[in-house]
Amino acid sequence: RVDLANLYSVQSENEQLLNFFNFFDKNNFNNYVLADVVWEDSILTFSSTNKNLVINRGSDDGISPGLAVLNEEGVLVGKVVEVNSDYSKICLSSNSFCNFAVSISNNDGSSGMSEGNLGMSIRVNYIAQNEDVQVGDIVYTSGLERSIPRGLYVGEVINIEKSENDIWQNVSAEPLFDFKNINRVSVLLIN
């Protein structure tokens, strides 16, 4: 039974690593670091809505604050917010303290700022009322942040609310990965 459990574990790890390498090869990302998630850390100890991840790689591996963190499918999980020599802290994209410059895959090419919403979804702020956003549009990084390349998937629009007296519409997106099942990530290094 132990051998069978080990076999399943190794098989799962190999599939995950293959997914990482296929993504890097397809998108011509040559400079990255793979890391294991070693624990979860809450910014606010009384709340589970602002969790951070701690990974087993740090400045000794070339990691610095602000770098993009991806899952094995290339979906943006979060960004590096704190670095030590041998470990780093990652804020998740659903964390209300974690923001990204993003665009939406609509006809207007709307740009805004993503912000975590209660640890479960993502709000896309600063989208003008006159811009046409639809449920199902993809939210991706805009490339306006120095350390985060354009085109990384962030989420999918699930709700749009417009109010007659507001300048901005309220756009909510669902992350394109499961926050509970992150055990390995990649950090994109910037040359």
Side-chain angles (χ1 to χ4, degrees):
R1 290 181 186 179
V2 171
D3 289 342
L4 189 57
N6 286 335
L7 177 65
Y8 287 139
S9 175
V10 169
Q11 182 180 9
S12 175
E13 181 179 357
N14 285 341
E15 288 173 9
Q16 187 180 49
L17 290 172
L18 183 61
N19 287 338
F20 272 117
F21 296 136
N22 285 338
F23 170 78
F24 297 139
D25 187 47
K26 178 180 167 189
N27 292 283
N28 295 320
F29 289 128
N30 300 319
N31 205 2
Y32 56 87
V33 173
L34 291 177
D36 293 325
V37 175
V38 291
W39 76 79
E40 292 182 0
D41 179 38
S42 286
I43 288 179
L44 305 173
T45 56
F46 57 87
S47 171
S48 64
T49 62
N50 288 313
K51 286 187 178 177
N52 293 318
L53 301 178
V54 177
I55 60 172
N56 65 344
R57 300 285 186 252
S59 59
D60 291 350
D61 302 291
I63 294 177
S64 61
L67 295 176
V69 179
L70 311 175
N71 72 358
E72 70 268 16
E73 296 167 338
V75 176
L76 186 73
V77 171
K79 75 168 108 175
V80 178
V81 291
E82 185 180 312
V83 178
N84 290 287
S85 61
D86 57 352
Y87 70 92
S88 301
K89 189 179 288 188
I90 310 302
C91 75
L92 294 174
S93 61
S94 64
N95 182 326
S96 60
F97 299 105
C98 203
N99 300 313
F100 296 94
V102 296
S103 294
I104 298 177
S105 66
N106 60 357
N107 291 334
D108 296 320
S110 301
S111 292
M113 185 68 73
S114 73
E115 173 184 33
N117 186 23
L118 301 174
M120 297 181 291
S121 65
I122 299 167
R123 282 193 303 249
V124 182
N125 299 319
Y126 312 116
I127 305 297
Q129 287 279 355
N130 64 343
E131 296 189 34
D132 182 32
V133 178
Q134 301 292 318
V135 170
D137 286 346
I138 299 297
V139 179
Y140 58 93
T141 55
S142 66
L144 296 176
E145 292 180 70
R146 184 181 70 84
S147 300
I148 299 180
R150 178 179 175 81
L152 300 175
Y153 292 118
V154 176
E156 182 177 324
V157 175
I158 56 171
N159 189 39
I160 303 112
E161 293 178 14
K162 294 184 178 188
S163 180
E164 194 173 304
N165 297 327
D166 286 338
I167 297 172
W168 313 112
Q169 53 187 302
N170 295 317
V171 177
S172 296
E174 179 177 48
L176 295 175
F177 65 95
D178 183 2
F179 292 106
K180 296 174 186 154
N181 293 325
I182 302 172
N183 58 10
R184 182 172 288 120
V185 295
S186 63
V187 180
L188 292 182
L189 303 178
I190 301 300
N191 295 334

